[in-house]
């Protein structure tokens, strides 16, 4: 309709290529324009048709005298036609404005969604990096030649229970890998102890679901042995010896 510049038309066509819903909206808009034009079409007055037919008939009768045609006043018809065009252009302008507003807000929403997604990816990447750094650090400890591996075997109470303790006496770090521990009721947990000169030291609690996972426990500088017992959830200040599941000696002279 000549209401948009070349750059605006190019931008609109580019958006149409990206958004199928905009193409559908344009088609709907074109259908409405066509229907509006049909509904508001201005028919010529009936006397125009009569005069045209009379003029044609008189032209065919060459013998008849030539009568100058009567000029029909089309001023009212032109006025109605102009009014219809103005209404048409006003409606088109409103629809064009609505389309541009729609494109603007959709672009703004897409920018916001992209920013939110980017932020979530940054947070996720940071969490993944922290987890990876932790795993790398743990693997270095358990594979270090200076790390003592204590094989913990089951007791008479739980002969099939087993685990490994990786203890770096230089840094005092203690890691535990559970190999076989049965599930416990929800109100109970396993607890690791370091036995130092016959006295137990709490090294933290864990669950059976942590099997085959490297668990970092509390540090200890000394230990003649490590033991695992079943305690109430959250741990106990002293071990329940009758519920001892696994035991392993360090064979380190201190």
């Amino acid at each position: 309709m000549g209401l948009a510049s070349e750059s605006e038309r190019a931008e609109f066509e580019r958006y149409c290529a990206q958004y199928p819903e905009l193409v559908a909206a344009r088609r709907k808009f074109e259908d409405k324009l066509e229907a509006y034009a049909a509904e508001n079409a201005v028919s010529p007055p009936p006397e125009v048709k009569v005069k045209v037919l009379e003029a044609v008939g008189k032209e065919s009768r060459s013998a008849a005298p030539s009568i100058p045609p009567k000029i029909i006043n089309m001023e009212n018809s032109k006025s109605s036609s102009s009014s219809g065009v103005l209404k048409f252009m006003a409606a088109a302008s409103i629809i064009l404005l609505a389309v541009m507003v729609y494109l603007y807000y959709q672009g703004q929403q897409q920018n916001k969604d992209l920013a939110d997604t980017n932020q979530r990816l940054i947070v996720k990447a940071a969490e993944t990096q922290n987890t990876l750094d932790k795993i790398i650090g743990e693997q270095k400890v358990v594979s270090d030649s200076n790390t003592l591996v204590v094989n913990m075997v089951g007791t008479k109470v739980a002969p099939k229970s087993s685990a490994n303790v990786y203890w770096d006496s230089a840094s005092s770090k203690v890691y535990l890998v559970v190999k076989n521990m049965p599930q416990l009721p929800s109100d109970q947990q396993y607890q690791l102890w370091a036995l130092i000169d016959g006295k137990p030291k709490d090294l933290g609690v864990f669950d059976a679901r942590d099997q085959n996972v490297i668990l970092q426990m509390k540090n200890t500088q000394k230990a003649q042995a490590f033991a695992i017992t079943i305690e109430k959830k959250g741990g106990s200040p002293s071990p329940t010896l009758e519920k001892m599941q696994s035991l392993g000696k360090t064979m380190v002279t201190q």
Side-chain angles (χ1 to χ4, degrees):
M1 294 176 59
L3 298 177
S5 65
E6 287 299 325
S7 60
E8 290 173 335
R9 289 175 58 188
E11 183 179 12
F12 182 73
E13 291 300 333
R14 186 169 65 256
Y15 280 126
C16 285
Q18 295 179 4
Y19 307 109
E21 61 271 22
L22 182 57
V23 176
R26 180 173 67 176
R27 290 175 180 171
K28 187 175 180 182
F29 167 58
E30 292 171 347
D31 292 341
K32 286 185 177 180
L33 292 183
E34 187 175 345
Y36 181 85
E39 291 175 1
N40 293 272
V42 179
S43 301
E47 58 266 24
V48 173
K49 181 179 181 181
V50 175
K51 296 299 181 181
V52 171
L53 293 176
E54 288 179 357
V56 173
K58 290 178 181 179
E59 183 69 22
S60 64
R61 295 193 297 271
S62 58
S66 177
I67 302 175
K70 183 180 179 181
I71 299 176
I72 305 299
N73 186 359
M74 301 293 291
E75 195 170 322
N76 292 336
S77 176
K78 290 181 179 180
S79 176
S80 299
S81 178
S82 299
S83 176
V85 171
L86 289 176
K87 291 180 180 179
F88 176 84
M89 294 186 67
S93 299
I94 293 174
I95 294 176
L96 181 61
L97 177 62
V99 170
M100 296 304 293
V101 170
Y102 165 78
L103 290 175
Y104 172 77
Y105 281 107
Q106 184 168 5
Q108 291 292 101
Q109 184 61 44
Q110 285 184 337
N111 289 339
K112 182 179 182 301
D113 293 343
L114 287 175
D116 292 343
T117 301
N118 186 52
Q119 184 60 35
R120 287 195 296 270
L121 289 175
I122 291 175
V123 173
K124 188 67 177 179
E127 292 175 351
T128 302
Q129 186 61 47
N130 290 337
T131 302
L132 182 60
D133 292 342
K134 183 174 180 292
I135 292 174
I136 292 174
E138 292 170 350
Q139 289 291 342
K140 286 182 178 179
V141 171
V142 299
S143 60
D144 193 334
S145 58
N146 295 323
T147 298
L148 178 65
V149 182
V150 180
N151 184 30
M152 303 184 68
V153 297
T155 62
K156 293 181 179 180
V157 178
K160 294 184 178 181
S161 294
S162 61
N164 281 342
V165 168
Y166 295 85
W167 177 42
D168 184 354
S169 58
S171 65
S172 303
K173 289 184 178 180
V174 177
Y175 292 89
L176 174 69
V177 175
V178 179
K179 295 193 291 185
N180 184 30
M181 292 282 179
Q183 293 288 337
L184 296 177
S186 58
D187 60 342
Q188 294 180 346
Q189 281 186 299
Y190 291 104
Q191 189 165 357
L192 179 66
W193 305 89
L195 303 179
I196 306 171
D197 298 330
K199 296 181 179 180
K201 177 183 178 180
D202 168 39
L203 296 184
V205 297
F206 62 93
D207 298 304
R209 64 173 179 270
D210 297 323
Q211 296 190 67
N212 299 318
V213 177
I214 300 176
L215 303 174
Q216 184 170 4
M217 310 303 287
K218 296 178 182 179
N219 295 354
T220 183
Q221 291 183 340
K222 295 182 179 181
Q224 284 87 43
F226 293 96
I228 296 175
T229 62
I230 296 177
E231 307 295 342
K232 63 181 180 180
K233 189 175 181 64
S236 173
S238 58
T240 304
L241 297 179
E242 60 269 23
K243 292 185 178 181
M244 183 179 295
Q245 304 295 295
S246 295
L247 178 66
K249 296 182 180 180
T250 62
M251 305 297 292
V252 175
T253 304
Q254 298 175 335

